[in-house]
């Protein structure tokens, strides 16, 4: 009789241990999520696992990372912009906020924001991006204090100098091949101010890493990419207000060669002292001006275009693609593009950028290039095609 009781007790204890394990962070809805995904964000109310294995934590709005920043301890929260600058070229063909696949697996409740859990090798490398600024100043591209090889960054961009309160573009979304771990391919907007060693930037667009998925991202720095700033919500800074957009999460629909094209509208503009980000005309959140020194008031340079990182394995050029992986001369449906390029002036009005005011900059035109155009009557405004395949007979190193 005693043996039977002991056996039942052991079975019950084993059941409790199993149940406890199943309810731990190792499982979502009873499914194993692996050791690489165990770090739950502070303030998580709900957790969603996507069809492709990503983990989204729905975090209490007031416990998001931004409010851990020492400069934001007494920050007055702005839940939405008080107004949107007029004459913005809207994105009528892309009105849906639910452009990311994680929504198929669940929704975040009110008063929370979605934060994607970085998963081991999927964490973006904080590369020192804005290298072409040094190239234009004829400074050395051989090395940087952070150990990053500056000459390995290659660009096909166009930039505008002046005094600005924002920028906009409709960006064609692709999923270019990233050939090697540690490399990346990006299509984005830079909003910039300050000298190179102390540069302030806000950046937003799409990014593909070695996991070969195109993801919405933001980035910021206030000290030349040295010790401040990060991607997405991986450090305190960016204040997210939208519960339907997960920064760093894959974009659902991707453009296909000579077939359907997918765009996202990216807009950054200043409102009530903060720099707001909109995606497809929907406010996502903002960078408080208190994070910055040179960007506290206005930007002095805007840049639109593509960037890749070339690790030069074996001394040859990477096969990592930029844009669609095809050169600009192939045109619509084949080459990636930016459309309706605009800036916000000091009066808070959006203005179309005149093509003759832009300066194109392709660091290696035989590998990746850019082609500026204007189509005011056709609805594309000032626009450009950009990109390329990387390694080829014309791009060996």
């Amino acid at each position: 009789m005693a043996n039977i009781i002991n056996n039942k007790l052991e079975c019950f204890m084993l059941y409790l241990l199993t149940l406890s394990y199943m309810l731990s962070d190792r499982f979502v809805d009873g499914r194993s999520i692996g050791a690489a995904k165990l770090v739950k964000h502070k303030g998580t109310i709900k957790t969603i696992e996507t069809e492709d294995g990503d983990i989204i934590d729905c975090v209490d709005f007031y416990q998001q990372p931004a409010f851990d920043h020492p400069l934001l301890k007494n920050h007055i929260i702005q839940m939405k912009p008080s107004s949107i600058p007029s004459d913005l070229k809207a994105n009528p063909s892309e009105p849906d906020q639910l452009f990311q696949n994680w929504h198929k697996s669940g929704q975040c409740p009110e008063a929370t924001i979605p934060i994607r859990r970085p998963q081991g090798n999927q964490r973006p490398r904080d590369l020192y991006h804005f290298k072409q600024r040094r190239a234009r100043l004829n400074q050395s591209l051989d090395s940087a204090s952070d150990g990053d090889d500056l000459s390995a960054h290659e660009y096909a961009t166009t930039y505008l100098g002046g005094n600005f309160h924002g920028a906009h573009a409709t960006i064609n979304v692709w999923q270019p091949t990233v050939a090697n771990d540690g490399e990346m391919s990006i299509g984005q907007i830079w909003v910039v101010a300050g000298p190179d060693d102390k540069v302030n930037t806000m950046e937003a667009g799409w990014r593909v890493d070695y996991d070969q998925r195109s993801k919405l991202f933001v980035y910021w720095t206030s000290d030349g990419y040295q010790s401040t700033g990060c991607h997405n919500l991986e450090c305190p800074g960016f204040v997210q207000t939208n519960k339907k957009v997960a920064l760093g999460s894959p974009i659902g629909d991707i453009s296909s060669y000579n077939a359907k094209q997918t765009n996202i509208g990216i807009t950054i503009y200043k409102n009530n002292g903060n720099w707001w980000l909109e995606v497809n005309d929907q406010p996502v959140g903002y960078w408080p001006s208190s994070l910055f020194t040179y960007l506290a008031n206005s930007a002095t340079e805007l840049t639109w275009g593509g960037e890749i990182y070339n690790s030069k394995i074996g001394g040859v050029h990477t096969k990592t693609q930029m844009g669609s992986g095809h050169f600009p001369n192939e045109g619509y449906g084949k080459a990636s593009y930016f459309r309706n390029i605009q800036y916000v002036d000091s009066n808070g009005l959006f203005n179309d950028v005149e093509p003759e005011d832009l300066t194109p900059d392709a660091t290696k035109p035989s590998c990746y290039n850019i082609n500026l155009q204007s189509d005011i009557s056709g609805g594309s405004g000032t626009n450009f095609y950009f990109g390329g395949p990387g390694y080829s007979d014309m791009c060996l190193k």
Side-chain angles (χ1 to χ4, degrees):
M1 184 68 177
N3 287 337
I4 294 175
I5 294 174
N6 286 336
N7 287 339
K8 288 184 177 180
L9 182 61
E10 288 174 0
C11 289
F12 181 69
M13 292 299 294
L14 180 61
Y15 167 76
L16 289 178
L17 287 171
T18 302
L19 181 63
S20 174
Y21 183 73
M22 291 290 289
L23 293 177
S24 73
D25 287 346
R26 293 179 180 271
F27 288 82
V28 175
D29 296 333
R31 292 172 289 169
S32 174
I33 62 175
K37 307 177 185 179
L38 292 181
V39 183
K40 179 188 289 187
H41 289 92
K42 179 184 71 173
T44 296
I45 305 284
K46 176 182 177 181
T47 295
I48 300 168
E49 183 177 13
T50 70
E51 295 175 351
D52 52 8
D54 279 354
I55 301 296
I56 304 294
D57 288 331
C58 301
V59 174
D60 181 279
F61 175 84
Y62 295 99
Q63 295 191 59
Q64 64 177 286
F67 302 129
D68 291 330
H69 198 290
L71 293 175
L72 302 183
K73 291 301 182 183
N74 297 311
H75 176 68
I76 298 175
I77 298 170
Q78 186 181 3
M79 294 303 295
K80 61 182 181 179
S82 60
S83 61
I84 298 173
S86 61
D87 296 322
L88 169 65
K89 293 289 178 60
N91 302 280
S93 62
E94 311 289 342
D96 190 3
Q97 289 189 75
L98 309 182
F99 60 93
Q100 296 176 306
N101 282 337
W102 68 272
H103 290 282
K104 298 177 182 178
S105 304
Q107 304 288 322
C108 281
E110 295 296 330
T112 68
I113 62 163
I115 305 181
R116 179 178 180 265
R117 293 190 199 177
Q119 300 172 20
N121 62 353
Q122 294 183 18
R123 181 182 295 274
R125 181 181 173 194
D126 285 349
L127 296 171
Y128 187 110
H129 291 300
F130 209 56
K131 302 305 191 312
Q132 73 269 36
R133 292 167 55 83
R134 295 192 178 204
R136 294 199 295 270
L137 293 172
N138 296 316
Q139 298 180 7
S140 172
L141 285 175
D142 292 335
S143 62
S145 60
D146 59 2
D148 189 15
D149 181 2
L150 303 188
S151 65
H153 292 258
E154 298 176 21
Y155 301 86
T157 61
T158 187
Y159 69 95
L160 179 70
N163 183 46
F164 310 107
H165 282 198
H168 168 78
T170 298
I171 308 177
N172 193 209
V173 181
W174 288 79
Q175 197 157 279
T177 297
V178 173
N180 303 300
D181 195 7
E183 296 184 343
M184 48 77 176
S185 184
I186 296 175
Q188 69 169 80
I189 297 175
W190 290 261
V191 177
V192 184
D196 290 323
D197 60 340
K198 299 177 182 178
V199 71
N200 291 196
T201 77
M202 297 171 290
E203 308 172 20
W206 57 260
R207 171 181 178 130
V208 179
D209 295 286
Y210 193 50
D211 62 355
Q212 314 300 332
R213 295 191 293 174
S214 188
K215 301 174 287 291
L216 174 70
F217 86 98
V218 300
Y219 190 92
W220 70 276
T221 181
S222 63
D223 64 353
Y225 301 89
Q226 299 305 313
S227 60
T228 64
C230 61
H231 285 90
N232 306 323
L233 303 182
E234 293 184 2
C235 69
F238 185 84
V239 178
Q240 182 160 336
T241 59
N242 190 310
K243 75 183 187 72
K244 296 181 179 180
V245 175
L247 298 172
S249 186
I251 298 169
D253 289 333
I254 303 298
S255 299
S256 299
Y257 187 80
N258 210 22
K260 180 184 177 182
Q261 301 300 293
T262 298
N263 305 322
I264 55 171
I266 298 292
T267 310
I268 298 172
Y269 61 93
K270 198 167 188 184
N271 177 265
N272 284 351
N274 299 314
W275 291 93
W276 274 87
L277 169 71
E278 289 193 359
V279 178
N280 289 349
D281 305 324
Q282 300 296 326
V284 175
Y286 61 91
W287 293 273
S289 291
S290 58
L291 296 174
F292 301 106
T293 52
Y294 295 97
L295 272 174
N297 296 313
S298 61
T300 56
E301 185 172 327
L302 307 176
T303 297
W304 299 262
E307 174 188 3
I308 67 97
Y309 186 78
N310 173 19
S311 57
K312 306 176 187 176
I313 294 176
V316 299
H317 196 282
T318 182
K319 294 182 180 179
T320 287
Q321 301 171 340
M322 180 189 292
S324 69
H326 294 262
F327 283 114
N329 60 356
E330 293 195 38
Y332 182 80
K334 300 175 181 178
S336 187
Y337 56 79
F338 279 57
R339 289 180 167 177
N340 294 318
I341 298 171
Q342 295 184 290
Y343 68 89
V344 182
D345 63 24
S346 58
N347 295 317
L349 301 176
F350 275 98
N351 298 266
D352 294 334
V353 178
E354 298 296 332
E356 57 269 23
D357 294 333
L358 288 167
T359 302
D361 181 12
T363 50
K364 286 189 178 179
S366 60
C367 304
Y368 316 101
N369 212 342
I370 182 169
N371 181 15
L372 284 172
Q373 302 183 74
S374 180
D375 181 30
I376 302 299
S377 61
S380 295
T382 298
N383 64 90
F384 62 83
Y385 291 94
F386 76 103
Y391 178 83
S392 70
D393 291 341
M394 298 184 298
C395 176
L396 297 175
K397 292 186 178 180

